[in-house]
Amino acid sequence: MSTATQTEATPTAAESLARFDLERHHRELASRGFTVLPQVLPREQAERIGARLLELMALDPAFAKTPYYNLDGVFEPVTTQEDVDLFVPLLGDPAVLAVAERAVGKEFQMSNVGGVQLKPHGMGAQCWHNDVPFGWFCHNHRPFPDFTMAITALWMLSDYSAANGGTRLVPYSHKTRSTPIDVIHDPDGYHRMEHEYAASGPAGSCLIFDNAIWHCAGRNTTSRDRLHITIPYFPQFLDGGNLNWRPVPRRIFDMFPPHVRRLHKHVAEDRT
Ligand SMILES: O=C(O)CCC(=O)C(=O)O
């Protein structure tokens, strides 16, 4: 639900913090493995960000042909301060950062910003998985460490629902410290799991999940795009580069406000 009068103003930091029961969201994330902060940003603002994201995606010739398009590094094609300012409310939202800090500790770091478009009229485009860094533990036959190694803030830039493929998660599965098991393969190629739950919310909502949770994109059966941006956060002592995450280029770092710079100990050029 939205109207121009309700949603025009961007909330201040204090308003954003006061709107949410952060203790409850923290508990949900820790116990169930995910939580949704509804309508953190006004719908119009989220949709404006989504429209610009689609333009950046369309710079890639592969974009039009890919049912699940992932722009892994949203800032790579960005050149202007105007674009950086457009995306900053997602990177530095005080309520989301407060939940992140409770989950991964103080002085946590931010990883590469990804943008995803799930096209309409499609088949389920993803297999069940957990996120970085857990692939490393699987490939190296090591047990998953038993603490929150990373979380992801997934910003809904369109409405999310089961019908348009809202991210599916298996509640509490992060507690198993394992990769998804017992996936049910339907004859039409769709993969389901018992107890799966489809995250939903209006554009501007933020799903935060533990990267150890079993999850995947659903099937978008509607006639409109499903669109989001993901931002992983990890504890300060981990090295994001070692975990396959790409730091932002220095030219982008220099355009960030101080509270977002603090989330980047490294820029891409540190590694060259
Ligand atoms: O597109 C989705 O709903 C799933 C996103 C996802 O798997 C991820 O961010 O790791």
Side-chain angles (χ1 to χ4, degrees):
M1 180 193 72
S2 80
T3 67
T5 44
Q6 268 178 325
T7 58
E8 255 160 23
T10 303
T12 63
E15 281 166 354
S16 178
L17 282 169
R19 270 190 56 214
F20 297 104
D21 180 349
L22 296 176
E23 192 54 39
R24 178 175 74 77
H25 288 294
H26 165 68
R27 274 201 312 276
E28 272 185 9
L29 177 59
S31 62
R32 196 174 59 161
F34 66 94
T35 188
V36 177
L37 277 66
Q39 201 87 77
V40 184
L41 290 183
R43 171 189 294 279
E44 286 82 359
Q45 190 178 1
E47 289 180 345
R48 243 187 348 264
I49 297 170
R52 181 63 185 138
L53 177 65
L54 282 173
E55 288 173 359
L56 294 172
M57 288 173 163
L59 298 173
D60 178 356
F63 167 69
K65 298 180 224 123
T66 314
Y68 185 90
Y69 184 82
N70 184 0
L71 179 59
D72 189 20
V74 165
F75 287 110
E76 303 290 325
V78 164
T79 55
T80 65
Q81 182 73 55
E82 194 187 351
D83 270 343
V84 171
D85 292 347
L86 185 71
F87 290 112
V88 156
L90 307 183
L91 314 187
D93 179 80
V96 171
L97 294 187
V99 175
E101 180 174 304
R102 283 293 295 276
V104 293
K106 286 191 189 308
E107 303 302 325
F108 60 93
Q109 293 288 293
M110 188 189 119
S111 182
N112 57 309
V113 178
V116 164
Q117 180 221 33
L118 178 61
K119 291 194 172 67
H121 310 300
M123 303 293 290
Q126 257 198 334
C127 295
W128 288 89
H129 61 280
N130 359 61
D131 278 347
V132 179
F134 295 101
W136 184 92
F137 292 92
C138 292
H139 291 309
N140 291 283
H141 307 290
R142 294 283 185 274
F144 288 12
D146 194 10
F147 69 96
T148 306
M149 293 203 75
I151 60 162
T152 294
L154 184 156
W155 285 90
M156 303 174 191
L157 302 179
S158 60
D159 290 346
Y160 267 53
S161 65
N164 76 355
T167 309
R168 296 179 295 158
L169 311 109
V170 179
Y172 307 100
S173 56
H174 64 306
K175 304 268 190 199
T176 68
R177 314 315 286 172
S178 65
T179 49
I181 45 176
D182 295 334
V183 178
I184 303 159
H185 299 267
D186 277 356
D188 65 357
Y190 200 55
H191 298 172
R192 292 185 295 107
M193 293 212 82
E194 221 180 329
H195 309 303
E196 70 178 60
Y197 174 94
S200 62
S205 304
C206 186
L207 161 69
I208 307 177
F209 60 86
D210 186 313
N211 282 21
I213 201 165
W214 304 350
H215 68 280
C216 68
R219 178 163 34 186
N220 185 356
T221 59
T222 70
S223 56
R224 304 188 60 184
D225 286 339
R226 193 213 65 169
L227 200 62
H228 71 234
I229 274 185
T230 51
I231 309 168
Y233 297 104
F234 57 90
Q236 186 254 359
F237 69 89
L238 289 179
D239 182 333
N242 280 346
L243 300 173
N244 259 349
W245 281 319
R246 212 177 341 171
V248 289
R250 175 165 293 284
R251 66 187 166 79
I252 299 295
F253 174 88
D254 288 342
M255 288 191 255
F256 282 155
H259 68 289
V260 175
R261 284 189 191 183
R262 277 208 343 259
L263 303 172
H264 295 82
K265 265 205 310 196
H266 292 292
V267 293
E269 289 76 3
D270 293 349
R271 300 174 183 284
T272 56

PDB file of all heavy atoms in Angstrom, residues 178-203:
ATOM      1  N   SER A 178      24.838 -26.818   7.465  1.00  0.00           N
ATOM      2  CA  SER A 178      25.029 -27.735   6.336  1.00  0.00           C
ATOM      3  C   SER A 178      24.470 -27.100   5.060  1.00  0.00           C
ATOM      4  O   SER A 178      23.727 -26.118   5.124  1.00  0.00           O
ATOM      5  CB  SER A 178      24.292 -29.055   6.596  1.00  0.00           C
ATOM      6  OG  SER A 178      22.893 -28.816   6.639  1.00  0.00           O
ATOM      7  N   THR A 179      24.803 -27.701   3.913  1.00  0.00           N
ATOM      8  CA  THR A 179      24.205 -27.259   2.647  1.00  0.00           C
ATOM      9  C   THR A 179      22.821 -27.896   2.518  1.00  0.00           C
ATOM     10  O   THR A 179      22.534 -28.912   3.161  1.00  0.00           O
ATOM     11  CB  THR A 179      25.062 -27.675   1.448  1.00  0.00           C
ATOM     12  OG1 THR A 179      25.368 -29.044   1.588  1.00  0.00           O
ATOM     13  CG2 THR A 179      26.333 -26.876   1.359  1.00  0.00           C
ATOM     14  N   PRO A 180      21.961 -27.333   1.671  1.00  0.00           N
ATOM     15  CA  PRO A 180      20.578 -27.848   1.598  1.00  0.00           C
ATOM     16  C   PRO A 180      20.518 -29.337   1.255  1.00  0.00           C
ATOM     17  O   PRO A 180      21.196 -29.797   0.334  1.00  0.00           O
ATOM     18  CB  PRO A 180      19.959 -27.013   0.479  1.00  0.00           C
ATOM     19  CG  PRO A 180      20.765 -25.769   0.449  1.00  0.00           C
ATOM     20  CD  PRO A 180      22.159 -26.159   0.829  1.00  0.00           C
ATOM     21  N   ILE A 181      19.723 -30.052   2.024  1.00  0.00           N
ATOM     22  CA  ILE A 181      19.534 -31.481   1.770  1.00  0.00           C
ATOM     23  C   ILE A 181      18.038 -31.753   1.589  1.00  0.00           C
ATOM     24  O   ILE A 181      17.213 -30.913   1.934  1.00  0.00           O
ATOM     25  CB  ILE A 181      20.095 -32.359   2.927  1.00  0.00           C
ATOM     26  CG1 ILE A 181      19.652 -31.767   4.275  1.00  0.00           C
ATOM     27  CG2 ILE A 181      21.608 -32.477   2.839  1.00  0.00           C
ATOM     28  CD1 ILE A 181      20.064 -32.578   5.457  1.00  0.00           C
ATOM     29  N   ASP A 182      17.722 -32.920   1.030  1.00  0.00           N
ATOM     30  CA  ASP A 182      16.327 -33.328   0.834  1.00  0.00           C
ATOM     31  C   ASP A 182      15.541 -32.335  -0.024  1.00  0.00           C
ATOM     32  O   ASP A 182      14.383 -31.996   0.272  1.00  0.00           O
ATOM     33  CB  ASP A 182      15.610 -33.526   2.179  1.00  0.00           C
ATOM     34  CG  ASP A 182      16.222 -34.672   2.962  1.00  0.00           C
ATOM     35  OD1 ASP A 182      16.802 -35.563   2.313  1.00  0.00           O
ATOM     36  OD2 ASP A 182      16.142 -34.656   4.197  1.00  0.00           O
ATOM     37  N   VAL A 183      16.168 -31.850  -1.085  1.00  0.00           N
ATOM     38  CA  VAL A 183      15.454 -30.976  -2.027  1.00  0.00           C
ATOM     39  C   VAL A 183      14.473 -31.844  -2.808  1.00  0.00           C
ATOM     40  O   VAL A 183      14.810 -32.945  -3.248  1.00  0.00           O
ATOM     41  CB  VAL A 183      16.456 -30.298  -2.991  1.00  0.00           C
ATOM     42  CG1 VAL A 183      15.715 -29.422  -4.004  1.00  0.00           C
ATOM     43  CG2 VAL A 183      17.471 -29.472  -2.212  1.00  0.00           C
ATOM     44  N   ILE A 184      13.248 -31.367  -2.966  1.00  0.00           N
ATOM     45  CA  ILE A 184      12.221 -32.130  -3.695  1.00  0.00           C
ATOM     46  C   ILE A 184      12.208 -31.653  -5.150  1.00  0.00           C
ATOM     47  O   ILE A 184      11.979 -30.466  -5.418  1.00  0.00           O
ATOM     48  CB  ILE A 184      10.831 -31.912  -3.048  1.00  0.00           C
ATOM     49  CG1 ILE A 184      10.885 -32.321  -1.575  1.00  0.00           C
ATOM     50  CG2 ILE A 184       9.750 -32.657  -3.810  1.00  0.00           C
ATOM     51  CD1 ILE A 184       9.794 -31.700  -0.717  1.00  0.00           C
ATOM     52  N   HIS A 185      12.488 -32.559  -6.080  1.00  0.00           N
ATOM     53  CA  HIS A 185      12.540 -32.189  -7.502  1.00  0.00           C
ATOM     54  C   HIS A 185      11.198 -32.490  -8.150  1.00  0.00           C
ATOM     55  O   HIS A 185      10.838 -33.652  -8.337  1.00  0.00           O
ATOM     56  CB  HIS A 185      13.650 -32.968  -8.223  1.00  0.00           C
ATOM     57  CG  HIS A 185      15.008 -32.684  -7.650  1.00  0.00           C
ATOM     58  ND1 HIS A 185      15.829 -31.706  -8.152  1.00  0.00           N
ATOM     59  CD2 HIS A 185      15.659 -33.230  -6.598  1.00  0.00           C
ATOM     60  CE1 HIS A 185      16.941 -31.661  -7.431  1.00  0.00           C
ATOM     61  NE2 HIS A 185      16.862 -32.581  -6.482  1.00  0.00           N
ATOM     62  N   ASP A 186      10.450 -31.466  -8.477  1.00  0.00           N
ATOM     63  CA  ASP A 186       9.172 -31.663  -9.168  1.00  0.00           C
ATOM     64  C   ASP A 186       9.431 -32.055 -10.624  1.00  0.00           C
ATOM     65  O   ASP A 186      10.464 -31.702 -11.186  1.00  0.00           O
ATOM     66  CB  ASP A 186       8.360 -30.363  -9.134  1.00  0.00           C
ATOM     67  CG  ASP A 186       7.596 -30.226  -7.828  1.00  0.00           C
ATOM     68  OD1 ASP A 186       7.665 -31.177  -7.029  1.00  0.00           O
ATOM     69  OD2 ASP A 186       6.958 -29.185  -7.626  1.00  0.00           O
ATOM     70  N   PRO A 187       8.448 -32.764 -11.246  1.00  0.00           N
ATOM     71  CA  PRO A 187       8.638 -33.175 -12.646  1.00  0.00           C
ATOM     72  C   PRO A 187       8.892 -31.998 -13.578  1.00  0.00           C
ATOM     73  O   PRO A 187       9.570 -32.128 -14.581  1.00  0.00           O
ATOM     74  CB  PRO A 187       7.319 -33.874 -12.997  1.00  0.00           C
ATOM     75  CG  PRO A 187       6.689 -34.200 -11.690  1.00  0.00           C
ATOM     76  CD  PRO A 187       7.204 -33.245 -10.667  1.00  0.00           C
ATOM     77  N   ASP A 188       8.365 -30.803 -13.239  1.00  0.00           N
ATOM     78  CA  ASP A 188       8.572 -29.661 -14.145  1.00  0.00           C
ATOM     79  C   ASP A 188       9.907 -28.965 -13.912  1.00  0.00           C
ATOM     80  O   ASP A 188      10.161 -27.883 -14.430  1.00  0.00           O
ATOM     81  CB  ASP A 188       7.427 -28.654 -14.000  1.00  0.00           C
ATOM     82  CG  ASP A 188       7.399 -28.006 -12.619  1.00  0.00           C
ATOM     83  OD1 ASP A 188       8.231 -28.372 -11.765  1.00  0.00           O
ATOM     84  OD2 ASP A 188       6.561 -27.121 -12.396  1.00  0.00           O
ATOM     85  N   GLY A 189      10.755 -29.572 -13.102  1.00  0.00           N
ATOM     86  CA  GLY A 189      12.086 -29.012 -12.886  1.00  0.00           C
ATOM     87  C   GLY A 189      12.144 -28.047 -11.713  1.00  0.00           C
ATOM     88  O   GLY A 189      13.208 -27.527 -11.383  1.00  0.00           O
ATOM     89  N   TYR A 190      11.016 -27.804 -11.073  1.00  0.00           N
ATOM     90  CA  TYR A 190      10.988 -26.878  -9.929  1.00  0.00           C
ATOM     91  C   TYR A 190      11.494 -27.594  -8.685  1.00  0.00           C
ATOM     92  O   TYR A 190      11.154 -28.760  -8.462  1.00  0.00           O
ATOM     93  CB  TYR A 190       9.547 -26.410  -9.738  1.00  0.00           C
ATOM     94  CG  TYR A 190       9.412 -25.146  -8.947  1.00  0.00           C
ATOM     95  CD1 TYR A 190      10.081 -23.991  -9.308  1.00  0.00           C
ATOM     96  CD2 TYR A 190       8.568 -25.095  -7.839  1.00  0.00           C
ATOM     97  CE1 TYR A 190       9.939 -22.813  -8.586  1.00  0.00           C
ATOM     98  CE2 TYR A 190       8.415 -23.933  -7.109  1.00  0.00           C
ATOM     99  CZ  TYR A 190       9.107 -22.791  -7.495  1.00  0.00           C
ATOM    100  OH  TYR A 190       8.952 -21.639  -6.777  1.00  0.00           O
ATOM    101  N   HIS A 191      12.293 -26.926  -7.889  1.00  0.00           N
ATOM    102  CA  HIS A 191      12.854 -27.538  -6.683  1.00  0.00           C
ATOM    103  C   HIS A 191      12.180 -26.934  -5.454  1.00  0.00           C
ATOM    104  O   HIS A 191      12.201 -25.730  -5.267  1.00  0.00           O
ATOM    105  CB  HIS A 191      14.362 -27.278  -6.596  1.00  0.00           C
ATOM    106  CG  HIS A 191      15.117 -27.880  -7.727  1.00  0.00           C
ATOM    107  ND1 HIS A 191      16.450 -27.645  -7.947  1.00  0.00           N
ATOM    108  CD2 HIS A 191      14.720 -28.728  -8.701  1.00  0.00           C
ATOM    109  CE1 HIS A 191      16.838 -28.315  -9.014  1.00  0.00           C
ATOM    110  NE2 HIS A 191      15.815 -28.969  -9.493  1.00  0.00           N
ATOM    111  N   ARG A 192      11.594 -27.798  -4.646  1.00  0.00           N
ATOM    112  CA  ARG A 192      10.913 -27.323  -3.440  1.00  0.00           C
ATOM    113  C   ARG A 192      11.589 -27.889  -2.215  1.00  0.00           C
ATOM    114  O   ARG A 192      12.381 -28.825  -2.305  1.00  0.00           O
ATOM    115  CB  ARG A 192       9.446 -27.777  -3.458  1.00  0.00           C
ATOM    116  CG  ARG A 192       8.613 -27.104  -4.531  1.00  0.00           C
ATOM    117  CD  ARG A 192       7.158 -27.498  -4.426  1.00  0.00           C
ATOM    118  NE  ARG A 192       6.943 -28.910  -4.690  1.00  0.00           N
ATOM    119  CZ  ARG A 192       6.652 -29.829  -3.775  1.00  0.00           C
ATOM    120  NH1 ARG A 192       6.522 -29.490  -2.496  1.00  0.00           N
ATOM    121  NH2 ARG A 192       6.470 -31.089  -4.097  1.00  0.00           N
ATOM    122  N   MET A 193      11.242 -27.328  -1.058  1.00  0.00           N
ATOM    123  CA  MET A 193      11.706 -27.895   0.204  1.00  0.00           C
ATOM    124  C   MET A 193      10.562 -27.879   1.190  1.00  0.00           C
ATOM    125  O   MET A 193       9.733 -26.951   1.186  1.00  0.00           O
ATOM    126  CB  MET A 193      12.869 -27.085   0.772  1.00  0.00           C
ATOM    127  CG  MET A 193      14.105 -27.183  -0.066  1.00  0.00           C
ATOM    128  SD  MET A 193      15.619 -27.090   0.903  1.00  0.00           S
ATOM    129  CE  MET A 193      15.803 -28.740   1.481  1.00  0.00           C
ATOM    130  N   GLU A 194      10.543 -28.910   2.027  1.00  0.00           N
ATOM    131  CA  GLU A 194       9.544 -28.926   3.084  1.00  0.00           C
ATOM    132  C   GLU A 194       9.747 -27.694   3.971  1.00  0.00           C
ATOM    133  O   GLU A 194      10.906 -27.292   4.200  1.00  0.00           O
ATOM    134  CB  GLU A 194       9.738 -30.197   3.917  1.00  0.00           C
ATOM    135  CG  GLU A 194       8.435 -30.838   4.280  1.00  0.00           C
ATOM    136  CD  GLU A 194       8.667 -32.090   5.107  1.00  0.00           C
ATOM    137  OE1 GLU A 194       9.708 -32.744   4.908  1.00  0.00           O
ATOM    138  OE2 GLU A 194       7.817 -32.369   5.945  1.00  0.00           O
ATOM    139  N   HIS A 195       8.689 -27.106   4.434  1.00  0.00           N
ATOM    140  CA  HIS A 195       8.721 -25.958   5.358  1.00  0.00           C
ATOM    141  C   HIS A 195       9.245 -24.674   4.728  1.00  0.00           C
ATOM    142  O   HIS A 195       9.594 -23.742   5.441  1.00  0.00           O
ATOM    143  CB  HIS A 195       9.555 -26.275   6.609  1.00  0.00           C
ATOM    144  CG  HIS A 195       9.196 -27.547   7.289  1.00  0.00           C
ATOM    145  ND1 HIS A 195       7.923 -27.812   7.745  1.00  0.00           N
ATOM    146  CD2 HIS A 195       9.934 -28.655   7.546  1.00  0.00           C
ATOM    147  CE1 HIS A 195       7.899 -29.021   8.279  1.00  0.00           C
ATOM    148  NE2 HIS A 195       9.105 -29.560   8.166  1.00  0.00           N
ATOM    149  N   GLU A 196       9.356 -24.622   3.388  1.00  0.00           N
ATOM    150  CA  GLU A 196       9.884 -23.383   2.804  1.00  0.00           C
ATOM    151  C   GLU A 196       8.896 -22.234   2.996  1.00  0.00           C
ATOM    152  O   GLU A 196       7.684 -22.448   3.101  1.00  0.00           O
ATOM    153  CB  GLU A 196      10.205 -23.580   1.324  1.00  0.00           C
ATOM    154  CG  GLU A 196       8.979 -23.746   0.451  1.00  0.00           C
ATOM    155  CD  GLU A 196       9.347 -23.893  -1.023  1.00  0.00           C
ATOM    156  OE1 GLU A 196      10.068 -24.843  -1.376  1.00  0.00           O
ATOM    157  OE2 GLU A 196       8.892 -23.046  -1.816  1.00  0.00           O
ATOM    158  N   TYR A 197       9.454 -21.035   3.009  1.00  0.00           N
ATOM    159  CA  TYR A 197       8.678 -19.824   3.294  1.00  0.00           C
ATOM    160  C   TYR A 197       9.097 -18.779   2.267  1.00  0.00           C
ATOM    161  O   TYR A 197      10.283 -18.602   2.020  1.00  0.00           O
ATOM    162  CB  TYR A 197       9.035 -19.362   4.710  1.00  0.00           C
ATOM    163  CG  TYR A 197       8.444 -18.048   5.123  1.00  0.00           C
ATOM    164  CD1 TYR A 197       7.244 -17.992   5.827  1.00  0.00           C
ATOM    165  CD2 TYR A 197       9.106 -16.850   4.826  1.00  0.00           C
ATOM    166  CE1 TYR A 197       6.706 -16.779   6.214  1.00  0.00           C
ATOM    167  CE2 TYR A 197       8.569 -15.629   5.217  1.00  0.00           C
ATOM    168  CZ  TYR A 197       7.372 -15.604   5.910  1.00  0.00           C
ATOM    169  OH  TYR A 197       6.839 -14.399   6.293  1.00  0.00           O
ATOM    170  N   ALA A 198       8.124 -18.108   1.651  1.00  0.00           N
ATOM    171  CA  ALA A 198       8.458 -17.080   0.651  1.00  0.00           C
ATOM    172  C   ALA A 198       8.421 -15.703   1.308  1.00  0.00           C
ATOM    173  O   ALA A 198       7.400 -15.300   1.865  1.00  0.00           O
ATOM    174  CB  ALA A 198       7.469 -17.128  -0.506  1.00  0.00           C
ATOM    175  N   ALA A 199       9.546 -15.005   1.256  1.00  0.00           N
ATOM    176  CA  ALA A 199       9.600 -13.666   1.847  1.00  0.00           C
ATOM    177  C   ALA A 199       8.753 -12.706   1.016  1.00  0.00           C
ATOM    178  O   ALA A 199       8.758 -12.776  -0.212  1.00  0.00           O
ATOM    179  CB  ALA A 199      11.040 -13.168   1.896  1.00  0.00           C
ATOM    180  N   SER A 200       8.035 -11.841   1.708  1.00  0.00           N
ATOM    181  CA  SER A 200       7.181 -10.900   0.988  1.00  0.00           C
ATOM    182  C   SER A 200       7.241  -9.535   1.653  1.00  0.00           C
ATOM    183  O   SER A 200       7.646  -9.406   2.817  1.00  0.00           O
ATOM    184  CB  SER A 200       5.739 -11.412   0.962  1.00  0.00           C
ATOM    185  OG  SER A 200       5.254 -11.492   2.284  1.00  0.00           O
ATOM    186  N   GLY A 201       6.839  -8.533   0.908  1.00  0.00           N
ATOM    187  CA  GLY A 201       6.792  -7.174   1.441  1.00  0.00           C
ATOM    188  C   GLY A 201       6.652  -6.190   0.304  1.00  0.00           C
ATOM    189  O   GLY A 201       6.951  -6.518  -0.846  1.00  0.00           O
ATOM    190  N   PRO A 202       6.201  -4.990   0.640  1.00  0.00           N
ATOM    191  CA  PRO A 202       6.126  -3.956  -0.396  1.00  0.00           C
ATOM    192  C   PRO A 202       7.511  -3.441  -0.769  1.00  0.00           C
ATOM    193  O   PRO A 202       8.458  -3.557   0.029  1.00  0.00           O
ATOM    194  CB  PRO A 202       5.290  -2.853   0.266  1.00  0.00           C
ATOM    195  CG  PRO A 202       5.342  -3.111   1.720  1.00  0.00           C
ATOM    196  CD  PRO A 202       5.691  -4.551   1.945  1.00  0.00           C
ATOM    197  N   ALA A 203       7.639  -2.865  -1.966  1.00  0.00           N
ATOM    198  CA  ALA A 203       8.909  -2.271  -2.398  1.00  0.00           C
ATOM    199  C   ALA A 203       9.401  -1.313  -1.322  1.00  0.00           C
ATOM    200  O   ALA A 203       8.629  -0.527  -0.778  1.00  0.00           O
ATOM    201  CB  ALA A 203       8.698  -1.531  -3.706  1.00  0.00           C
TER     202      ALA A 203
END
